[in-house]
Amino acid sequence: MGDFLGSVWWMIVSLGLLVTFHEFGHYWVARRCGVKVLRFSVGFGKPLWSRRNRNGTEFAIAAIPLGGYVKMLDEREAEVPAGERAVAFNNKSVWQRIAIVAAGPAANLLLCIALLWAMFVIGKQDYSATIGRSTGMAQQAGFAAGDRIVEVDGRAVDTWAEASMAFTTAAMDRQDARTKVRDALDNERTRVLPLSQLPADFDERNVPVQAGFIWQFWLQPALVESIVADSAASGVLQPGDLILAIDGQRVESADQVAPLVQQLGERGGAGMLDIERAGERLALELMPIAGQGQDGKPRWLIGVGFVTGQAPAYDARQQYGVLAAIPAALRETGKLASDSLGMMRRMLTGHASVKNISGPITIARVANASAERGVDWFLYFLALLSLSLCIINLLPIPILDGGHLLYYLIELVKGSPLSERAIAAGQYIGLALLAGLMGLAFYNDILSLVPR
């Protein structure tokens, strides 16, 4: 229940902030162009709060916090007194109307840059793209534990998320990824990850795992937390022991213990466990006992439980000074915009699944998770969401800002406005497209909540 309420709260905060900036862009430019603004509303429906300024504009916060709007004086919507026709939106030049409509997405773009600047000044903590273990395709390509990925297909990589995005892009394009790494000895090497060999139905949301990467920060140490009474470990191991090796095979994480114990049991006889206890390294003899695993199948067991859920310390930090953070924010904005537009292009051409389209449920969950991780992550989330609103609003779909811009560009070319009939037809088409996208987004959101 706490996660649900937190998700709802942070979604309202996020959308409220971004919508306010978007609509303020429209409002500010409209006022500079001499247009009378009737209402500035954050949210839809019945106003919960409102007040009117000296220019006659009503500022309101409405009950449904999933958008907002700026209502301007317009002869196409209601009769306008003769004395106010000069301040009506429809009587402004086409270039002024273009500026007013484009100001909303522009405000979101500027907000994105400002948020990223603040994030870089504070410092964004993350995990490096260091490999903890490799299997399958990645292992065959030469990737090994301790390798830190620094570049993928010519694109510099600082974190595991950036590396994951670069591998996902290459996989969707059915291309192999030329990757530069620094190994455990700090030597730079080049590996080629054959992502073109992934099956046609690969999961686009989990490409690194399917390629065989297990990131270092995912690995939980084999730190003993509990011991089952009358088990093989009873009287041999103690809570707080760190298992380092089993029968001569190195243990890097808790998930390796069960398979190694299984091998030891199948071999027969006792094995040696190398452990660390209170800073001292010990070698202890232990013989697994036959039993049943959690799935009910026969297993060889030693009877220990490990400490889980401990988040490792961050090992990567992106931080700049106040001035240096400006170009860094611009670069990051450009990179995020390129990734977003590239994903949209791939979905249109069929190279990416429409499962990548998310709606308010996913936004709420990510907003809550980002807020819990800290100010730096929440700023990054807001920046990405603000940029997404900018891009989506510029799509040439009627009823969105991009659709209105398309109308005005056509007006510039033909020398006169589109007919009201054509505009109305466009509005219906736009509503249908938007309803379809929203339906798909909700479907994907709900599907993501169903256990698989």
Side-chain angles (χ1 to χ4, degrees):
M1 189 65 178
D3 280 346
F4 172 77
L5 293 176
S7 297
V8 172
W9 166 251
W10 287 114
M11 183 187 71
I12 292 173
V13 170
S14 302
L15 292 181
L17 177 65
L18 301 184
V19 166
T20 299
F21 266 84
H22 180 94
E23 299 305 334
F24 182 77
H26 291 311
Y27 170 80
W28 190 84
V29 175
R31 293 295 300 135
R32 296 303 172 278
C33 292
V35 175
K36 182 175 181 179
V37 178
L38 302 178
R39 174 180 283 184
F40 181 121
S41 177
V42 177
F44 297 107
K46 184 178 180 180
L48 301 175
W49 171 91
S50 67
R51 62 168 294 184
R52 197 175 298 274
N53 70 2
R54 62 182 181 181
N55 296 315
T57 302
E58 180 189 9
F59 293 85
I61 297 176
I64 304 174
L66 296 177
Y69 61 93
V70 169
K71 184 177 182 180
M72 299 173 232
L73 193 67
D74 195 317
E75 290 181 307
R76 296 168 299 179
E77 297 179 2
E79 187 176 347
V80 175
E84 291 189 322
R85 287 174 184 168
V87 294
F89 175 80
N90 64 290
N91 289 325
K92 297 300 177 180
S93 71
V94 65
W95 285 111
Q96 287 178 311
R97 282 178 276 142
I98 287 174
I100 293 168
V101 171
N108 280 130
L109 179 61
L110 291 174
L111 179 60
C112 171
I113 296 170
L115 290 167
L116 290 174
W117 172 84
M119 179 198 73
F120 282 129
V121 171
I122 293 171
K124 180 171 179 279
Q125 299 185 100
D126 207 341
Y127 296 105
S128 65
T130 302
I131 300 168
R133 193 162 63 247
S134 63
T135 61
M137 178 188 295
Q139 187 178 48
Q140 293 170 12
F143 292 92
D147 284 352
R148 181 166 57 87
I149 298 170
V150 296
E151 186 179 291
V152 178
D153 289 332
R155 178 170 171 170
V157 166
D158 293 316
T159 67
W160 73 280
E162 292 177 344
S164 298
M165 184 64 195
F167 287 138
T168 300
T169 299
M172 288 189 295
D173 292 339
R174 311 303 295 171
Q175 294 178 356
D176 298 336
R178 187 174 181 83
T179 309
K180 286 185 180 180
V181 303
R182 288 194 179 277
D183 63 20
L185 299 175
D186 206 35
N187 297 313
E188 189 172 283
R189 304 186 184 280
T190 300
R191 323 262 191 222
V192 177
L193 188 65
L195 292 170
S196 60
Q197 296 177 18
L198 285 173
D201 60 345
F202 72 92
D203 186 353
E204 296 171 4
R205 294 165 293 181
N206 217 6
V207 169
V209 172
Q210 293 172 90
F213 288 117
I214 299 174
W215 301 114
Q216 186 178 67
F217 75 95
W218 285 354
L219 302 179
Q220 294 282 341
L223 185 63
V224 177
E225 183 178 44
S226 60
I227 298 173
V228 178
D230 300 323
S231 65
S234 180
V236 180
L237 296 177
Q238 300 176 9
D241 287 349
L242 178 64
I243 299 176
L244 303 174
I246 297 178
D247 208 27
Q249 297 189 60
R250 183 179 174 185
V251 173
E252 297 171 336
S253 62
D255 66 312
Q256 292 177 289
V257 172
L260 291 175
V261 168
Q262 186 70 16
Q263 291 177 22
L264 179 59
E266 291 171 354
R267 190 203 68 186
M272 298 301 297
L273 265 68
D274 293 336
I275 69 165
E276 182 180 302
R277 178 182 294 167
E280 183 181 359
R281 185 158 182 156
L282 303 173
L284 306 174
E285 188 176 71
L286 186 144
M287 181 179 290
I289 297 174
Q292 283 188 337
Q294 293 181 351
D295 56 2
K297 296 181 180 179
R299 290 282 188 274
W300 290 95
L301 308 170
I302 60 174
V304 298
F306 297 109
V307 175
T308 59
Q310 287 188 346
Y314 290 114
D315 61 353
R317 187 180 183 89
Q318 296 173 288
Q319 187 171 23
Y320 301 90
V322 173
L323 294 180
I326 297 173
L330 291 171
R331 286 194 303 270
E332 186 69 14
T333 301
K335 188 160 57 175
L336 291 174
S338 176
D339 288 342
S340 298
L341 292 171
M343 182 63 74
M344 292 173 65
R345 174 179 59 81
R346 291 180 181 91
M347 283 191 285
L348 289 172
T349 57
H351 288 88
S353 171
V354 292
K355 292 179 180 178
N356 291 291
I357 299 175
S358 300
I361 296 175
T362 298
I363 290 173
R365 294 169 67 189
V366 175
N368 187 49
S370 301
E372 289 179 347
R373 292 186 72 174
V375 175
D376 51 344
W377 277 91
F378 190 59
L379 289 173
Y380 181 78
F381 164 75
L382 286 176
L384 182 57
L385 187 58
S386 188
L387 181 63
S388 298
L389 287 176
C390 168
I391 293 172
I392 290 171
N393 269 285
L394 287 175
L395 293 177
I397 298 176
I399 83 170
L400 295 179
D401 292 333
H404 292 292
L405 290 174
L406 178 62
Y407 291 155
Y408 301 145
L409 290 175
I410 293 173
E411 181 179 341
L412 282 173
V413 172
K414 68 189 290 284
S416 60
L418 284 173
S419 66
E420 290 187 10
R421 184 177 179 182
I423 293 175
Q427 300 291 78
Y428 284 119
I429 294 171
L431 281 171
L433 287 172
L434 206 57
L437 284 172
M438 290 178 65
L440 180 60
F442 272 109
Y443 173 78
N444 288 339
D445 277 355
I446 294 169
L447 201 64
S448 70
L449 298 175
V450 178
R452 289 180 291 174

